[in-house]
Amino acid sequence: MAVSKATGRNGQREWRSVSSFLLFCGLFALMLVVTAVSLFWRVKGLTFGQWFVLFDGGTENLAAYTVWNVRLPRTLLALLLGAVLAVAGCLLQGITRNDLADPEVIGVNQGATLLVVLGLLFFEVQDASLLILTSACLGALLGGSVVYILSMQGRYTPTRLVLAGLAVSFFFGSLTTGLLLLNEATLSDILYWMAGKLSGASWTDIRIALYGLVPAVLLSWLLAAQLNVLALGDEMAGGLGQRIVFVRRIALFLASLLVGGSVALAGPIGFVGLMVPHMARLMTGPDYRLLIPLSALLGADLLLLSDLAGQMLFYPVETPVGIITALAGTPFFLFLMRRKKGESV
């Protein structure tokens, strides 16, 4: 009997391994297909006879320049930021044990946006890239820290965290709106950035994402075992010897860095970090060792698909990707709220 049970468990583990491998392969194949569509869809001047020109190494041709210098940076940025935002959502949901936690919901995006707007309005610099990057990261850390501190006043519950996050989000959002209304000269440009956009992506943006954000994603994956322990509850995690406060602070710092970098590069893009971890859990279960890499791949696919939808929906007018993710994420958030309406505060 014991042998048969052990054999059954081994069979289940092998099946989970095979199914996970096939799932990753399927999502990777989807990414390749969507990437091809993103690169070659409606490229002006691209005809069947010009396909070979694209791969001769030159960019003098209009179609080749469009594909390699306009479309490719945008596509890569969508893939990278989709992975970044999804992993940030995993971290926030892991440290709060709340599946409603998301950078958009708990004030991280709004904190980053507020400090970027403050920096742009009150500091006049020729190249604002470093200012935006620094302000966004500090603002994301500020928003996350304020919400975390407020939610820990008294007895912590997941609902208390969401309520604190919504309050901070509205407060920071109101401050940002007030600042913009007082400075109408720069209103249109900043509002377009605040909608979340990937147009205008450059190779500098790709380098920042690769050297600054991808290492943070890898460090987040190294926290997977700690997040699995934290999911058992503070009392159980503490009994197993976990340094709960330290793990939460490191994860919050990494999530803030990821969100801040994303906001700096493309503006606030909401709800990717809310939707993707839920989809990944349905596919592979709650183990963060699989959940984090799967979320990264799924988030990359989702954001690139959203960007394509924004380009195609009202072509030739382009809809910012942040609006597309908000249109998909808001009903998703309301559905999750309905599921949790019986939970006590």
Side-chain angles (χ1 to χ4, degrees):
M1 180 67 70
V3 174
S4 63
K5 287 183 178 180
T7 304
R9 285 195 294 268
N10 290 334
Q12 289 177 354
R13 281 195 293 268
E14 290 177 2
W15 168 246
R16 281 198 296 266
S17 300
V18 171
S19 60
S20 298
F21 175 75
L22 293 175
L23 179 60
F24 276 92
C25 290
L27 290 174
F28 186 75
L30 174 63
M31 183 179 70
L32 294 179
V33 171
V34 180
T35 297
V37 175
S38 178
L39 288 177
F40 303 119
W41 178 73
R42 283 186 177 272
V43 175
K44 186 176 182 180
L46 181 61
T47 62
F48 181 78
Q50 298 229 347
W51 274 94
F52 297 104
V53 178
L54 293 178
F55 303 99
D56 65 2
T59 57
E60 294 80 9
N61 180 275
L62 176 61
Y65 180 84
T66 301
V67 170
W68 303 127
N69 290 72
V70 179
R71 295 286 184 89
L72 184 57
R74 177 174 184 157
T75 299
L76 291 176
L77 189 63
L79 293 172
L80 289 169
L81 294 189
V84 161
L85 291 170
V87 171
C90 279
L91 291 175
L92 291 173
Q93 292 177 17
I95 62 176
T96 60
R97 297 196 307 277
N98 186 342
D99 53 11
L100 294 178
D102 169 72
E104 183 72 18
V105 175
I106 67 171
V108 181
N109 268 356
Q110 287 77 8
T113 303
L114 174 61
L115 258 67
V116 168
V117 170
L118 281 171
L120 292 175
L121 291 179
F122 293 104
F123 295 96
E124 295 183 3
V125 292
Q126 290 184 342
D127 185 4
S129 301
L130 181 60
L131 173 65
I132 291 174
L133 184 61
T134 305
S135 301
C137 291
L138 291 176
L141 185 60
L142 171 66
S145 299
V146 169
V147 172
Y148 179 72
I149 291 171
L150 290 176
S151 67
M152 296 303 290
Q153 303 300 310
R155 184 175 65 89
Y156 170 80
T157 64
T159 306
R160 184 187 295 273
L161 178 111
V162 173
L163 293 176
L166 290 173
V168 171
S169 296
F170 288 138
F171 178 70
F172 284 168
S174 299
L175 287 179
T176 303
T177 302
L179 288 169
L180 292 176
L181 291 176
L182 292 174
N183 297 269
E184 294 185 8
T186 57
L187 182 62
S188 59
D189 291 338
I190 295 180
L191 281 179
Y192 186 66
W193 171 81
M194 287 176 61
K197 66 180 185 66
L198 291 167
S199 58
S202 66
W203 289 110
T204 300
D205 297 331
I206 302 302
R207 285 191 287 270
I208 291 173
L210 284 174
Y211 300 146
L213 301 182
V214 171
V217 170
L218 297 176
L219 289 174
S220 301
W221 183 63
L222 295 178
L223 285 177
Q226 301 297 323
L227 293 174
N228 283 338
V229 175
L230 193 60
L232 300 174
D234 287 3
E235 185 175 345
M236 180 70 74
L240 293 173
Q242 186 183 71
R243 299 167 63 186
I244 299 171
V245 175
F246 176 77
V247 171
R248 278 204 171 109
R249 286 176 179 173
I250 292 296
L252 179 61
F253 173 78
L254 288 173
S256 300
L257 176 62
L258 294 172
V259 175
S262 175
V263 170
L265 294 174
I269 300 173
F271 295 107
V272 175
L274 175 70
M275 295 186 289
V276 172
H278 281 279
M279 298 176 185
R281 284 191 192 94
L282 291 175
M283 296 176 182
T284 193
D287 187 348
Y288 280 90
R289 292 171 297 181
L290 282 176
L291 186 61
I292 288 177
L294 181 62
S295 294
L297 185 54
L298 187 58
D301 287 346
L302 177 65
L303 192 60
L304 186 54
L305 280 168
S306 299
D307 187 42
L308 271 177
Q311 295 178 61
M312 296 177 177
L313 193 60
F314 299 111
Y315 183 83
V317 177
E318 182 177 314
T319 305
V321 68
I323 295 178
I324 301 297
T325 59
L327 289 174
T330 302
F332 194 89
F333 177 74
L334 294 175
F335 169 73
L336 292 177
M337 285 288 290
R338 181 177 176 82
R339 284 180 55 191
K340 297 178 74 67
K341 67 180 181 178
E343 185 176 315
S344 60
V345 179

